[in-house]
Amino acid sequence: MPFRKTLREHQRGLAVSKDGTVESFDGPQRIWVFRKRFILLARISASQKEYIRVEERNGTLKNLPGPCYTYIDPFTMNNAEVMSSISLDANEVLVVYSRDRSTSQVVRKIQYGPMLFTPSADEWLHEFIWHGTDRQNKTQKIPGGLRFTKLRVIPDQFYYNIKDVRTKDDALITVKVMMFFELRDIETMLNQTTDPIGDFINALTADVIAFGSQLTLKEFVDNTGQLNILDNYTQLRERSKAIGYEVSKVVYRGFQCNDKLQRLLSTAMERRTALRIQMESDHQEQDLTDAKLQNEIHRNEIEQKIKVEELKHRQELAKLEKKHELQLQEKDYMERLKRKKAEEQAKLENKKKIDQQRLQYLTQLHTMGVNVTDFLVSQHPRPDQVLRVVTTNDGASSTAPTVHIHP
């Protein structure tokens, strides 16, 4: 057995004496181990995304954040292991608890992402245990089916089938819904509930059962659209607000019932569908007939309008033609009147000139001593016979005498 041991760089060894004393050596060096037991310690290291959790023999826990390394000392440590740090996205948070050494009280803090979280030795994480989706049926939730430490703070949703909803006429159905929700207040959620999904399920079931109990099956089928209105979920909205959540929407996905009732509903639905299709077909035929009549009326109106426009156009043309003809007649009349006036004026001027010449002629004759009266009388010959009719009224008779003239 060699009495000297060589320790390289980044190595640590222990020399254990027979009396139980332990001496530690770090390399690089060469040590004397005569009559001593030499133990080369194992070395573990952690990267930037890891940390080393050390459990010492005195009960102390230490978390060494990476990058780091340590040696596993069996005399001072019970265990040492490399742990991964917790990475948080922007929509995830951690609820971390720690004990205040001065007051010995537990303090709670919330770590928001994005970050890489390395817990200290006196910190522990809140583990959420909620209703989770059944692997056999995604529309059913089982208690404790969901365990996690990273709490998501983004909008989420889940499917759920509400069984044994009894209608007013005592029909049992299963109502399918889908709920959308979002966490608004983490502190309120932590203080008011341990299982928000369970609270949602209970409140949702209560609202749907209350809705179905007031209606018969036929009325329920006719009013299923009301299940898409959030105002009809009173208990769900109140409970979600009390635990720090906001329910944005509930979507109705249909319902189920037993086979016999389902066959009856299917038969009734087929009959209603056939009647509705027939009624729509009749409406379409009536609409087509109405459309044809409307088109015919519209076409007749257009034809009448065209005829009226043509008549107005012809009347306007006749009016313009008559107006033009009257203008031409007026123009011709004015021209004839103007010519006649000119002719009369010319005649008057000519007669005036002749009268002036005659007057001048007679004046000259008078100045020459000629008797103008005799001259003028001589210009007109005397008649061959002169007939004079003289009527005398002697008072004997009131009637005039009758005269007969014979050539």
Side-chain angles (χ1 to χ4, degrees):
M1 180 179 179
F3 298 130
R4 289 186 178 276
K5 297 290 183 181
T6 300
L7 292 177
R8 293 187 296 273
E9 189 174 3
H10 300 303
Q11 285 187 334
R12 176 177 293 180
L14 299 179
V16 184
S17 303
K18 290 183 178 181
D19 60 357
T21 59
V22 179
E23 189 176 0
S24 175
F25 300 94
D26 291 327
Q29 63 174 311
R30 189 172 178 80
I31 60 174
W32 178 259
V33 291
F34 178 71
R35 301 183 70 179
K36 295 180 180 180
R37 182 165 61 92
F38 179 77
I39 302 174
L40 182 63
L41 300 182
R43 180 176 179 270
I44 59 175
S45 61
S47 65
Q48 290 88 343
K49 295 183 180 181
E50 299 173 328
Y51 65 96
I52 300 175
R53 184 175 182 84
V54 178
E55 182 181 349
E56 298 182 349
R57 287 186 176 273
N58 60 4
T60 304
L61 295 177
K62 292 182 180 179
N63 289 348
L64 306 177
C68 65
Y69 67 90
T70 190
Y71 300 94
I72 301 177
D73 187 349
F75 296 100
T76 60
M77 299 179 184
N78 285 333
N79 186 29
E81 59 179 339
V82 178
M83 308 289 290
S84 297
S85 298
I86 303 174
S87 62
L88 295 178
D89 294 335
N91 54 14
E92 294 177 334
V93 300
L94 287 176
V95 180
V96 183
Y97 295 94
S98 62
R99 187 180 298 275
D100 191 348
R101 295 180 180 180
S102 61
T103 61
S104 298
Q105 294 182 353
V106 176
V107 180
R108 181 175 65 198
K109 64 178 180 180
I110 299 174
Q111 294 288 347
Y112 292 88
M115 67 173 301
L116 190 64
F117 177 74
T118 301
S120 60
D122 58 348
E123 292 180 334
W124 66 95
L125 303 180
H126 183 98
E127 183 180 12
F128 297 93
I129 304 175
W130 292 357
H131 274 67
T133 303
D134 188 359
R135 295 182 179 180
Q136 304 293 331
N137 185 1
K138 70 175 185 178
T139 60
Q140 293 300 317
K141 302 292 182 180
I142 56 176
L146 186 61
R147 292 174 176 264
F148 61 94
T149 56
K150 297 179 183 180
L151 180 64
R152 293 193 300 177
V153 291
I154 58 174
D156 203 353
Q157 72 282 332
F158 69 87
Y159 297 88
Y160 190 67
N161 290 354
I162 304 171
K163 297 182 179 180
D164 299 332
V165 178
R166 189 176 297 275
T167 61
K168 189 176 181 180
D169 53 354
D170 207 26
L172 282 177
I173 59 176
T174 298
V175 180
K176 304 176 183 179
V177 294
M178 181 179 182
M179 194 186 85
F180 295 82
F181 60 93
E182 183 178 0
L183 179 59
R184 291 294 189 179
D185 192 337
I186 299 176
E187 292 287 348
T188 302
M189 185 270 293
L190 294 172
N191 294 330
Q192 298 297 328
T193 182
T194 58
D195 187 0
I197 302 298
D199 293 348
F200 289 151
I201 291 173
N202 294 334
L204 192 62
T205 302
D207 286 329
V208 173
I209 290 176
F211 177 80
S213 63
Q214 299 175 359
L215 305 172
T216 62
L217 181 59
K218 183 180 182 304
E219 292 173 344
F220 179 85
V221 174
D222 295 337
N223 292 275
T224 51
Q226 297 294 322
L227 292 176
N228 289 318
I229 301 176
L230 190 59
D231 292 339
N232 292 326
Y233 298 90
T234 306
Q235 299 183 57
L236 177 62
R237 290 187 293 112
E238 292 178 354
R239 184 55 186 165
S240 62
K241 184 178 180 180
I243 61 177
Y245 277 84
E246 179 182 357
V247 177
S248 58
K249 183 167 56 175
V250 177
V251 178
Y252 169 72
R253 298 173 46 246
F255 73 95
Q256 290 179 343
C257 53
N258 58 61
D259 295 338
K260 184 177 180 180
L261 186 58
Q262 185 66 41
R263 286 194 298 271
L264 292 175
L265 289 175
S266 299
T267 303
M269 185 178 299
E270 290 177 358
R271 187 177 302 170
R272 288 197 301 270
T273 303
L275 292 175
R276 185 169 59 252
I277 293 174
Q278 182 64 36
M279 183 174 62
E280 291 178 356
S281 178
D282 294 340
H283 283 321
Q284 289 178 356
E285 292 180 358
Q286 293 177 2
D287 292 341
L288 181 59
T289 303
D290 293 341
K292 290 181 178 179
L293 291 176
Q294 290 294 333
N295 292 334
E296 186 70 24
I297 293 173
H298 184 63
R299 184 166 54 252
N300 292 333
E301 290 178 352
I302 293 177
E303 291 177 355
Q304 292 177 1
K305 186 176 180 180
I306 292 175
K307 291 180 180 179
V308 170
E309 292 295 332
E310 290 179 352
L311 181 60
K312 288 183 178 179
H313 182 66
R314 289 197 299 269
Q315 291 177 352
E316 189 68 24
L317 289 178
K319 182 178 179 180
L320 292 175
E321 185 178 358
K322 190 67 176 178
K323 183 178 180 180
H324 181 65
E325 183 180 355
L326 291 175
Q327 289 178 351
L328 291 177
Q329 291 179 358
E330 183 180 4
K331 184 177 180 181
D332 182 62
Y333 174 75
M334 294 301 294
E335 288 179 355
R336 287 190 287 105
L337 184 63
K338 186 176 180 181
R339 286 196 303 270
K340 186 176 182 181
K341 185 176 181 181
E343 291 177 356
E344 293 294 335
Q345 186 69 23
K347 289 179 179 180
L348 290 176
E349 292 292 334
N350 188 28
K351 187 176 184 300
K352 184 177 180 181
K353 289 181 180 180
I354 293 174
D355 291 341
Q356 288 179 354
Q357 291 177 0
R358 187 171 179 79
L359 178 63
Q360 185 178 6
Y361 173 69
L362 294 176
T363 302
Q364 291 178 357
L365 290 177
H366 179 68
T367 55
M368 292 174 61
V370 179
N371 190 350
V372 177
T373 301
D374 294 337
F375 176 75
L376 291 176
V377 171
S378 65
Q379 294 294 322
H380 299 281
R382 293 185 177 182
D384 295 335
Q385 294 179 358
V386 176
L387 180 63
R388 178 176 297 177
V389 178
V390 178
T391 301
T392 58
N393 189 0
D394 55 0
S397 176
S398 61
T399 61
T402 303
V403 178
H404 298 277
I405 299 176
H406 298 280

